Amino acid sequence: MASGVDALAEYGDAGTGVTRFTVEGGVIATDVLDEDELRLWVDGRDPRTGERRGRALESPDADLILDGTINAPKSYSIAVLINPDLAQEFEALQDRLRDRVIVLWQQELNARRGAGGRIREALQRVEVVELKHRRSRALDPHIHRHLWLNVKVLGEDGKWSNVDSRVAMKLHTVVNAEGELAARTDPEWIAALARNGYTLDQDGEIAELAAAVRPLSRRSNQIERNRAVLLARWRDEHPGQEPSADVVQQIDRRAWATGRPNKPGQVDEAAWEELIRDELMAVDSRIADLRGAVAPASVAMDDLDLELLAARAIVEADARSTPYGGRFSGLDIRAGAMRALAASGVAHQRTGLQATIDRVISLASLHVVDLLADEGERPDHIKGYMAEATAALKVELADRFDSLARAGARVDQERVSAIAAGTLADGIRLDDRQIAAAAAIAGSDRLVSITGPAGAGKTTMLRVANIALAHRGQRMLVVAPTKKAASVAGRELGTTASSVHALLADYGWRWSRDDAGAEQWAQLRPGGTDPATGIVYEGPRRFSITAGDRIVVDEAGMVDLHTANALASVAAQTGAGVAMVGDHLQAMPVGHSGAMACMARRSTAVIELTAVHRFRDPDYAELTLRMREPASKDAALAVAAELDARGQIHRVADQVQARDVMVESYFRWATGNRRVALVTSTNEEADAINEAIQQRRIDTGQLAQSRIAIGQSEQRILEGDIVQTRRNDRHADVENRAVWTIRRITADRVELASVGDSGDLRMVSHEYAAAHVHLAYASTVHGIQGETTDASVVGPGVDASGLYVGMTRGRSHNEAIALARTDGAAREAIADSMLRGIPEVSIDDSIRAARTELGRAARAPLADEAGTPAPWNDRSRRPYGADADLARTLGMARERERDARERWERASDWMHGAKRTLMDLDADACRRAANTHARTERAAEDSGDHEAATRLSNRYAARSADLLELEQEHLSLARVLDELESELAIRAALPADARRREERDRGASEAVRVPVPTTPERGISR
C-alpha cells in the first residue's frame, strides 16, 4: 500500500491533494484527498471517518486497487509538445475519455453476493483516483493517465464489498477499445489536429509525426538499459534494500541524461521540454515548422459499410479467442465493433456513435454460434460464442480425419529393434514406447499420433521409422510448421523435409485474407489460375507423394486448424498416411489450436512417449513429466515446491529486477560455447533484454561498433551479435526463426554463421536485415520451440506452454522467475502458470468449457427489462416463485449441491491420480528399459507392473463416462441452486408491501414446495 501511495505522491503531487472521482448512478462528483486520507482510502476505509468498508483484505498479495491506463499514440504527445495550443484540446480529450471509463465501471462492474458469490450485485457507487503523467519513466514524452479503481465498491443493496475482479479484467478490452475510439473519432480532437495541419494515418498515428516515433522509442529503450545498470549498481551497494521513490527518481533522471552530450547527471525539470524539442529537431529539422490548416477528414456515417465492420468485429474477437479454444464473449464482440468503427475514418460525438455500434454488434451476432443457447441469461464477460467460420472449420477437420481413419498393420517390433540396433550409435537404444511408435509410423495405419513430453526422443525414433519405411518400399516425407524446424529434422533424419506450407502450396493450396481480415484457404486445380500471381497452376512439381507414403508432421502441436485441414485433404487425394509427432501441451500455433488432439482422437494408432532422455538429472526429468500436465492445483503446487527446493524458482520484486536476472544469466551461462535460452512473455520484453545484453557486451569490449547494420525496428546489429532471421528466403537459404551469429558486416551484405555450426554460413542483403533480422539473446516461446541449450531461464508472465517449454530447454540448468512478495506467493505464481484447461478440440468440448465458466460466474436475479421482478407465478422466469417453503428447499439444494460437488471432486481426484499412476508406471518401465539397454530380459516385477497398469487403464477408461455424468449432475444442481438464490434475492429486494402481497397470493393459491431434482448416488469406486 505504501508504495502505491508514494507513487500517487510522486506523480499526482499529493502535497496539494489528489482528486477522487465518485460515480453514483452515472453521475460523477469530485473532491480532494490529502495524503493521510489517501492512505485510508487505499486501505479500504472511508477517507473522512476511517470506518472500514466491508471486510479487511488480510492477504499481503490482495489487490487494493485496479489500474486502468488511458493511453494514446505517441505521436499525440509529440504534437502537444511542439504545438502548445494542442495541449488543452488533448487534456479535454482525455477528460472525456476518463469520464466515460469510470461511468462504464460503475454501470457494468459488479460485486458478488450469496453462497459462493453466485448472485451478481449491481453497483451503486465506485471511487477512482487519477494519476496524470506527461512523460514515460525514461523521461521521454508520453502523455497518459492511470485510473486507480478502489476494489471496495458499494452495491445497490447498500453494502460495501470487493468488486468482482474477474469481470473487471475482462471488461478491460472494452476500456481499451473506448480509448481507441476516442483517439480516432472525437470530432473536437480531429478538428484541433486539422487546424494545426495534422491528419491521422491508417494506424491512428499523426501521419506528419509518425516518423519521429521510432527514434524516440529507440532512445527510450537505451534509457531503460541505463536504468537497469544503475539499479543493479545501487542494489549491489545496498544489499537487501529496495530504493525509495526519491532514489528511483534520481536514477530515472541519471539514466535519461546518460549519453546525452553536455547534459548534467541531474535533469533540470524546467529545461526538459526544450531538451526534447532539440532531440526532435535532430530527427527532423522541420518538425516544429508551422503547418497550414487542412480540412478535417471524415467518412459520413451513411457511407459506412456496416456488414464489413461487423465482419471485422468477429475477426478481431476470433483472433483474441485462440487461447480459449475459439470461444469469445459479448464484451469481445463489442470491443471488436468499437475498434472496427474507430478505424473506419468516421468522426462523431461518442453518444452519436452508440446506435451504430449497437447495429454492428447486432449484425456481428448473426455470424456466431451461441454455445450457451439453452442457458438463458448470461453475463456479458462469459466466453460463450464462437465464430461460425471457426466452428465450421472444427467440424470439417473432424470429418476429414474421420474419413481418413483406416486401421492397418504395424511393422513387427522385433524388426524395428533390429533396425535400431544397426542404425543408432553405441549407447543409444530405443525404449519400448519408441519402438512401438516407430513400428506404427512404418506401418499402414492411415492416421498415427505420437505424443510425448520434451526430451522424449521423438527425433531418434523417427530416424528408425524412416529406415523401416524404406525397407517396405515406402517413403517418409517430413514436414513441420516452420522451415527452421523442418531443416533441423531433415538434417537429423537424413530425409526430405520442408515446411508444411511448402507442401500445401505445391499441391495447389493458397491462403490469403479478405477485406475483413478473415483467413481464406482454397485449393487450385491443375489448369487453374493463381489469383495472386496470374500464373496457371500445373499441379505438384516439388513433392511426389504416392499411396502408402507417410507424411510425418514434426512439432505437430504447433499446426493450426486451417493448415491441418488442407493437409488432410492432400493425404486423401494422394493416398498417403499422416503421422503427427509432437506435444499439444508445448507452444501453441499462431492460429487456432487443437489439430493434433483432433487427429489423436481419430487415429487408429496412438502412442504416448513418457520416458525423458534429454536431461542429465533423472530426477528433474521425472519432475518435468509432472510439470507438463499437473492433475490439480495441489499437484501444481507440489511441483512448484520441488522446483523451489531445488533452487529453480527465482523470486524478484518487479519486472526491472526480472530483466536484470535474465541479463545476468546470459553472461553467467553463455561462455565456453555454451548456449542459454532466455524465454519472455512478450516480444517487447525480449527486445528490452536483447538490447541490454548487447549494450553490456559493448561496454565489456565483447562487441565493437566499428561496423553496424540496421535490423528490424531499427535495431542496431553488430558483428558478434546473436540474431534471428524472421522470414524464409529461398535465395539466401535462410529460414524463419533460425538463430545465427553475425560473422561479418560489409558494405553490401551481412554474413551469418549458424550458432550450431560455425562453418554453416549464409549471406543476406542489408535490405533483408532491416526487414527480417533482429537480436535473439532472448525470445518468446515460439522462438525457442525445438531448441536444446545448456541452460534456460524463463521470465515472469508466461503461460503454461511457455513455462513448460522454457523449463525443458536446458540440459544442465532450468530456472523460472516469479514476480512475488513472498516465497509462497512465488510458488503460487509458478503453479498457476502450469495449470491448463481441458483441451477444447470439438464443439462439445467448447460447450462444456463455456458452461463451466458460466457456472463460476455471478448471475443477476431474474427481472424484467425495467428491472421489476417477474410475478411470483411466472414459472419461466421465477421457477421457484411459487415455493411456499423456500428456506427449506434452499437448504436441501445447498446440501445436495455440496454432496454432488464433493462426489465429483473425489471422482475427479481418483481419475487424475489414476492417470498419474499410469504415467508413473510407464515412466518406470521406460526407465528400466533404458537402464537395461532394451534387452529382452525383464525382472519378474515388470510383468506384475504391466498387469497392474492394464487393469488400472481398463478401469480408467470405464470410469470416464461416469465422471462426465457426475460433472453434469453437479452443474445441473448448481444451476438449481443459482435459481433458488436468485429467488431469495428477489424476495429480499421487494418492498415490504409487495413482499406481503406475494406471500398472501402465494398462500391463497395451492401452495407448493417445489422439489429439488434428485439423482442417484454415483461415484467411482476405488
Short mmCIF file of all heavy atoms in Angstrom, two decimals, residues 45 86 287 324 344 485 596 746 779 976:
data_model
loop_
_atom_site.label_atom_id
_atom_site.label_comp_id
_atom_site.label_asym_id
_atom_site.label_seq_id
_atom_site.Cartn_x
_atom_site.Cartn_y
_atom_site.Cartn_z
N ARG A 45 -10.87 2.05 3.54
CA ARG A 45 -11.63 2.74 4.59
C ARG A 45 -12.24 4.02 4.04
O ARG A 45 -11.79 4.55 3.00
CB ARG A 45 -10.71 3.09 5.78
CG ARG A 45 -10.07 1.89 6.45
CD ARG A 45 -9.10 2.33 7.54
NE ARG A 45 -8.43 1.20 8.17
CZ ARG A 45 -8.90 0.53 9.21
NH1 ARG A 45 -10.07 0.90 9.75
NH2 ARG A 45 -8.24 -0.49 9.72
N LEU A 86 -2.28 22.73 -28.70
CA LEU A 86 -2.98 21.45 -28.71
C LEU A 86 -3.10 20.84 -27.31
O LEU A 86 -3.89 19.92 -27.11
CB LEU A 86 -2.26 20.44 -29.61
CG LEU A 86 -2.49 20.56 -31.12
CD1 LEU A 86 -1.61 19.57 -31.86
CD2 LEU A 86 -3.96 20.30 -31.45
N ILE A 287 10.35 19.66 -38.08
CA ILE A 287 9.22 19.06 -37.39
C ILE A 287 8.37 20.10 -36.68
O ILE A 287 7.15 19.93 -36.51
CB ILE A 287 9.71 17.97 -36.40
CG1 ILE A 287 8.54 17.07 -35.98
CG2 ILE A 287 10.39 18.59 -35.18
CD1 ILE A 287 8.96 15.83 -35.24
N TYR A 324 -8.56 -19.75 -25.91
CA TYR A 324 -9.76 -20.29 -25.29
C TYR A 324 -10.51 -21.24 -26.23
O TYR A 324 -11.73 -21.37 -26.15
CB TYR A 324 -10.69 -19.16 -24.85
CG TYR A 324 -9.99 -18.12 -24.02
CD1 TYR A 324 -9.55 -16.92 -24.60
CD2 TYR A 324 -9.72 -18.33 -22.67
CE1 TYR A 324 -8.89 -15.97 -23.85
CE2 TYR A 324 -9.06 -17.38 -21.91
CZ TYR A 324 -8.64 -16.20 -22.52
OH TYR A 324 -7.98 -15.26 -21.76
N SER A 344 -12.61 3.26 -39.15
CA SER A 344 -13.40 3.50 -40.36
C SER A 344 -13.21 4.88 -40.95
O SER A 344 -13.62 5.13 -42.09
CB SER A 344 -14.88 3.28 -40.04
OG SER A 344 -15.37 4.31 -39.19
N ALA A 485 12.27 -25.67 -38.29
CA ALA A 485 12.07 -26.97 -37.66
C ALA A 485 12.21 -28.10 -38.67
O ALA A 485 12.77 -29.16 -38.37
CB ALA A 485 10.69 -27.02 -37.00
N MET A 596 -3.81 -31.34 -33.57
CA MET A 596 -3.16 -32.58 -33.20
C MET A 596 -4.06 -33.43 -32.31
O MET A 596 -4.19 -34.65 -32.49
CB MET A 596 -1.84 -32.29 -32.48
CG MET A 596 -1.05 -33.54 -32.15
SD MET A 596 0.52 -33.20 -31.34
CE MET A 596 1.18 -34.87 -31.23
N THR A 746 29.58 -6.13 -44.25
CA THR A 746 30.27 -5.43 -45.33
C THR A 746 29.36 -4.35 -45.90
O THR A 746 28.22 -4.17 -45.45
CB THR A 746 30.69 -6.40 -46.44
OG1 THR A 746 29.52 -6.90 -47.09
CG2 THR A 746 31.49 -7.57 -45.87
N SER A 779 13.95 -14.48 -26.40
CA SER A 779 12.83 -14.57 -27.33
C SER A 779 11.62 -15.12 -26.60
O SER A 779 11.73 -15.62 -25.46
CB SER A 779 13.17 -15.47 -28.52
OG SER A 779 13.23 -16.83 -28.13
N VAL A 976 -29.71 -25.16 -10.35
CA VAL A 976 -30.89 -25.10 -9.48
C VAL A 976 -30.60 -24.20 -8.28
O VAL A 976 -31.44 -23.35 -7.90
CB VAL A 976 -31.28 -26.52 -9.01
CG1 VAL A 976 -32.32 -26.46 -7.89
CG2 VAL A 976 -31.82 -27.34 -10.17
#
